[in-house]
Amino acid sequence: MSTATLSPAPAPAATVDADDTRIGLRANLRHLGALTRRNLMRIKADPESMLDALLVPVIMILLFVYVFGGAMAGNQHEYMQYMVPGLLGTTGLNLAMALGTGLNTDFQTGVMDRFRTLPIGRSAVLLSKMVAETLRAVVAFAVLIGFSMVLGMDIAGGPLKLLAAVGLSLVFGSSLMWVSMLLGMSLRSAQAVQGMSMLVMMPLQFGSSIFANPTTMPGWLQAFTKHNPLSALADACRALINDQPVGNSALTVLVWAAAITVVTAPLAVARFRKRT
């Protein structure tokens, strides 16, 4: 009786890790473009998803300038010149943290299971979400600045320094997207991601120089505010827009952004590969 030689069955295509196929740079860029287009088409199909980018900046300006401006600065126009540049940072933070909730939802609804069966670079999935969120942030910044100018805010530094402030905010916001995506992949539910994001955002936003001068705060809070990266971002944007000396604020923001990215980006990519 002859003995048949058994050979292992080939692994299904769904289990092949795209990174193992050594996808080239051109293919990765093509995948990134396709996935970014997909994310933008989702926004087009669901326009309500842009409400936070369009309305939150307007609401923040109206509330803080006309409710608290007179009490905090004695003059609403003066407070607008102080507070609105800092809102570039807090707007970027809010949008960045929302990214983790959407990523968590994609895992819960099985979207990532579908990506797992495709021969695409794993990094392209995360980067495409960052690109789409960055475009949403650009829209939010345009609404914030445009509405502020309608209300009378002066851009004393001119358009180039305004663009520098926006660029600085985008760089820092991009670093926070890695934190948000890491939370989105580490926590079990979208509600948990939202709750943890609030725990991160609230101290950073209100324990900073965005809404009030730190000299009016108690000593222990001044110490936190001094080392808060959002304070450095608010001070840098404020100086650029109001045509004042920037000092070391811009460099501090870039150092923070680089440090956050170096620490959290590898963790987020590793977590993504583990989950997919």
Side-chain angles (χ1 to χ4, degrees):
M1 182 179 232
S2 61
T3 303
T5 302
L6 298 178
S7 59
T15 63
V16 177
D17 192 338
D19 291 335
D20 293 338
T21 63
R22 297 183 180 180
I23 297 174
L25 176 61
R26 183 178 297 179
N28 268 304
L29 292 176
R30 188 170 64 251
H31 299 159
L32 175 60
L35 290 172
T36 300
R37 181 175 181 275
R38 169 192 173 271
N39 292 329
L40 295 177
M41 291 298 291
R42 290 183 63 184
I43 295 176
K44 181 180 179 181
D46 182 22
E48 290 83 1
S49 63
M50 284 295 297
L51 289 179
D52 57 341
L54 297 175
L55 296 183
V56 170
V58 173
I59 294 172
M60 293 285 283
I61 293 173
L62 292 176
L63 283 178
F64 280 91
V65 171
Y66 292 105
V67 176
F68 301 109
M72 299 184 73
N75 182 283
Q76 291 172 342
H77 181 268
E78 181 180 343
Y79 186 65
M80 183 184 299
Q81 295 293 134
Y82 179 89
M83 187 268 297
V84 169
L87 282 184
L88 289 173
T90 192
T91 300
L93 173 62
N94 290 332
L95 294 176
M97 286 302 167
L99 180 57
T101 304
L103 186 60
N104 184 279
T105 301
D106 284 345
F107 276 104
Q108 300 299 329
T109 56
V111 173
M112 291 303 170
D113 291 335
R114 182 180 180 185
F115 287 156
R116 182 173 178 264
T117 67
L118 301 176
I120 59 176
R122 298 295 185 253
S123 60
V125 178
L126 298 181
L127 291 176
S128 66
K129 287 187 171 294
M130 291 183 64
V131 172
E133 201 63 33
T134 299
L135 294 176
R136 286 211 323 140
V138 170
V139 173
F141 291 160
V143 172
L144 172 67
I145 295 168
F147 187 67
S148 301
M149 294 178 67
V150 169
L151 295 180
M153 189 182 78
D154 300 322
I155 310 295
L160 291 181
K161 288 189 176 181
L162 174 61
L163 290 177
V166 171
L168 200 61
S169 301
L170 289 175
V171 169
F172 186 72
S174 297
S175 69
L176 294 178
M177 290 180 193
W178 290 109
V179 179
S180 180
M181 289 191 293
L182 182 59
L183 289 176
M185 292 181 289
S186 301
L187 301 177
R188 293 187 177 182
S189 66
Q191 291 79 6
V193 177
Q194 289 177 339
M196 184 60 68
S197 297
M198 288 299 296
L199 290 177
V200 174
M201 290 190 299
M202 294 295 285
L204 288 177
Q205 286 180 340
F206 293 101
S208 71
S209 62
I210 293 176
F211 302 107
N213 193 318
T215 58
T216 63
M217 303 175 185
W220 61 269
L221 186 54
Q222 287 187 36
F224 176 81
T225 302
K226 181 180 179 181
H227 297 92
N228 186 343
L230 275 186
S231 292
L233 179 58
D235 294 342
C237 292
R238 192 175 295 122
L240 288 168
I241 290 176
N242 293 323
D243 199 21
Q244 299 170 349
V246 178
N248 296 324
S249 299
L251 179 60
T252 301
V253 174
L254 294 176
V255 170
W256 267 104
I260 292 172
T261 301
V262 167
V263 172
T264 57
L267 293 176
V269 173
R271 182 64 180 172
F272 183 75
R273 287 175 177 169
K274 183 178 179 180
R275 289 202 61 171
T276 56

